[in-house]
């Protein structure tokens, strides 16, 4: 079997889909996307064609090594995101060629279904989402405005009171995580975590910028709450320092950024050795979710899965959510097929990252 073509498609709202074509008619799907850099990623995929066309797509690990290591300047969000989507597509073909789901090629399933969590909820709406089956949620910091380097008492109180209201509305049986998004300074993060502790967040995500590993480790040692990070960390080499320094006990690799399915499986194995859980990051599309579910099924230290869509309007058979979970797919490869007719009005986009500025002086702030 040989790869004949790599076809990228811009898909609303902000995604990039990949179709990897072969001379035997099998087509592999992937999402080689970095948010806000879709066209750059598409070009990065096109630059991989020279190596990949004519190669057997089933040599997944070998091609990953060749593309990653022959670049000389290794890693970075663009290269690893493009490579992640290509790697997903190769696994999809490998599974289809053998007639089995990808998780069977990774040792078989370690669970029967996959827990999903809901991003965003309010005290007024959370009971409605619970009634729909969700048992876990993640929210952002609600301090009333963008955070400054040094924050005042009102900001901390606003954020803590907002989370307290959500906890009261949800009750003690519901898991509530909070995401600082790396936008809270080290000067403020400790104060805010201390204020949140009485309401027991399931985890605190990116309490500071993920590159600030030593400070994140210090924060982790200073609280009993689990610290989570990983959406902006790439490959096993990026996660090594996080684990070695005890900076996080919940790893959140993104299968569209961190290197793909096998690379994230290796990251999960590293995490298992440090007794860390894995809650893959995924604010992207249905192919990304399909890849995540294959990974989630195969690892023993899975916690829960982020998602934005179950694939309605994109997949022929969207995932079915029930009682907090989706069942494992049984179709070969990634287990999904695109609905080309439904996709027809969703082609092309020019999505850009939000640009946030501090209201008081117009200076740039993290979003």
């Amino acid at each position: 079997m040989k790869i004949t073509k790599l076809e990228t498609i811009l898909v609303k709202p902000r995604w990039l889909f990949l179709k990897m074509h072969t001379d035997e008619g099998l087509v592999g799907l992937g999402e080689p996307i970095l948010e806000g850099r879709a066209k750059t990623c598409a070009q990065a995929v096109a630059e991989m064609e020279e190596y990949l066309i004519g190669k057997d797509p089933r040599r997944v690990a070998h091609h990953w090594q060749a593309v990653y290591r022959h670049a000389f300047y290794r890693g970075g969000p663009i290269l690893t995101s493009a490579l992640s989507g290509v790697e997903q597509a190769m696994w999809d073909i490998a599974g289809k060629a053998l007639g089995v789901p990808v998780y069977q090629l990774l040792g078989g399933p370690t669970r029967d279904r996959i827990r999903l969590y809901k991003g965003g909820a309010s005290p007024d709406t959370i009971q409605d989402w619970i009634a729909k089956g969700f048992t876990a949620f993640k929210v952002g910091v609600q301090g009333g405005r963008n955070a400054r380097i040094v924050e005042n008492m009102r900001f901390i109180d606003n954020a803590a009171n907002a989370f307290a209201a959500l906890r009261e509305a949800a009750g003690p049986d519901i898991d509530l995580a909070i995401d600082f998004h790396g936008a809270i300074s080290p000067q403020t993060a400790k104060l805010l975590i201390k204020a949140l502790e009485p309401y027991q967040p399931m985890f605190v995500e990116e309490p500071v910028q993920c590159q600030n590993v030593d400070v994140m480790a210090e924060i982790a040692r200073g609280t009993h709450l689990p610290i989570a990070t990983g959406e902006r960390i790439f490959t096993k080499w990026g996660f090594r320092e996080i684990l070695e320094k005890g900076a996080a006990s919940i790893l959140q690799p993104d299968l569209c950024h961190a290197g793909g399915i096998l690379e994230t499986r290796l990251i999960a194995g590293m995490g298992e050795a440090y007794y860390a859980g894995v809650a893959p990051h995924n604010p992207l599309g249905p192919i990304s979710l399909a890849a995540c579910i294959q990974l989630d099924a195969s690892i023993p230290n899975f916690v829960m899965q982020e998602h934005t869509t179950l694939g309605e309007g994109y997949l022929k058979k969207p995932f079915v959510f029930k009682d907090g979970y989706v069942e494992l797919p049984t179709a070969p490869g990634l287990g999904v097929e695109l609905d080309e007719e439904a996709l027809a009005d969703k082609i092309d986009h020019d999505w850009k990252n939000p640009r946030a500025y501090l209201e008081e002086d117009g200076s740039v702030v993290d979003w």
Side-chain angles (χ1 to χ4, degrees):
M1 187 190 305
K2 295 180 181 179
I3 299 168
T4 58
K5 181 182 178 182
L6 301 180
E7 178 187 3
T8 53
I9 309 162
L10 290 164
V11 178
K12 290 181 175 65
R14 62 176 187 176
W15 306 328
L16 182 70
F17 290 176
L18 167 67
K19 294 180 180 178
M20 178 179 285
H21 298 268
T22 69
D23 62 350
E24 294 189 10
L26 293 178
V27 178
L29 300 176
E31 281 197 48
I33 176 67
L34 185 70
E35 295 89 326
R37 296 290 183 267
K39 293 177 182 177
T40 308
C41 286
Q43 183 60 35
V45 171
E47 291 173 349
M48 295 178 187
E49 280 190 314
E50 183 271 332
Y51 167 77
L52 287 168
I53 288 180
K55 300 291 197 306
D56 186 337
R58 295 167 295 185
R59 298 189 67 184
V60 182
H62 176 75
H63 297 324
W64 193 99
Q65 290 288 324
V67 172
Y68 187 84
R69 292 166 61 189
H70 289 164
F72 188 72
Y73 293 99
R74 299 177 182 178
I78 297 298
L79 174 60
T80 53
S81 296
L83 180 54
S84 295
V86 167
E87 194 260 13
Q88 293 166 8
M90 289 193 288
W91 275 117
D92 193 23
I93 291 170
K96 288 173 178 175
L98 294 170
V100 297
V102 170
Y103 61 74
Q104 292 288 6
L105 305 179
L106 299 174
T110 60
R111 55 187 37 82
D112 299 323
R113 52 186 186 157
I114 305 301
R115 189 187 191 196
L116 302 185
Y117 71 89
K118 173 78 173 65
S122 71
D124 295 332
T125 63
I126 194 165
Q127 282 298 329
D128 293 334
W129 288 112
I130 292 171
K132 293 177 182 178
F134 285 99
T135 60
F137 300 83
K138 185 174 74 178
V139 296
V141 174
Q142 298 176 47
R145 54 171 169 74
N146 289 315
R148 301 177 303 203
I149 292 175
V150 178
E151 266 309 341
N152 57 31
M153 183 181 291
R154 184 175 297 280
F155 182 93
I156 300 296
D157 287 346
N158 284 346
N161 291 339
F163 194 86
L166 189 64
R167 168 59 73 197
E168 183 177 0
D173 294 323
I174 297 299
D175 289 318
L176 300 176
I178 187 165
D179 186 359
F180 287 18
H181 219 242
I184 303 297
S185 70
Q187 293 88 338
T188 298
K190 291 180 181 180
L191 280 172
L192 184 51
I193 289 172
K194 183 178 180 180
L196 291 168
E197 284 178 348
Y199 313 108
Q200 198 172 324
M202 185 185 190
F203 56 74
V204 177
E205 179 174 340
E206 282 199 330
V208 293
Q209 276 288 326
C210 61
Q211 296 93 342
N212 204 354
V213 179
D214 287 325
V215 169
M216 191 179 294
E218 180 186 347
I219 288 171
R221 289 190 295 269
T223 180
H224 60 269
L225 298 177
I227 300 300
T229 194
E231 67 185 75
R232 291 184 278 185
I233 300 171
F234 315 110
T235 74
K236 64 182 83 69
W237 295 285
F239 281 87
R240 180 181 63 181
E241 184 182 8
I242 297 291
L243 291 166
E244 287 177 345
K245 293 183 176 179
S249 57
I250 305 293
L251 305 182
Q252 299 173 299
D254 190 310
L255 273 72
C256 291
H257 305 329
I261 294 172
L262 181 58
E263 187 69 3
T264 309
R265 179 65 186 89
L266 297 174
I267 292 165
M270 293 167 61
E272 185 184 3
Y274 285 85
Y275 302 96
V278 177
H281 178 255
N282 174 34
L284 296 168
I287 301 172
S288 174
L289 177 60
C292 287
I293 287 173
Q294 298 294 327
L295 182 278
D296 301 338
S298 71
I299 61 175
N301 49 340
F302 169 71
V303 178
M304 59 181 185
Q305 177 61 57
E306 184 174 20
H307 75 293
T308 60
T309 175
L310 295 173
E312 300 94 337
Y314 297 92
L315 302 180
K316 288 184 178 180
K317 293 182 178 180
F319 292 98
V320 177
F321 176 78
K322 182 181 179 182
D323 298 332
Y325 294 79
V326 294
E327 299 295 324
L328 294 189
T330 57
L334 296 182
V336 295
E337 290 183 76
L338 295 178
D339 185 334
E340 302 289 353
E341 185 175 337
L343 276 175
D345 64 350
K346 301 180 181 71
I347 302 303
D348 202 15
H349 68 82
D350 191 25
W351 188 89
K352 293 180 174 60
N353 290 311
R355 296 165 183 169
Y357 302 90
L358 198 63
E359 185 176 341
E360 291 92 330
D361 62 7
S363 58
V364 173
V365 295
D366 295 323
W367 63 279

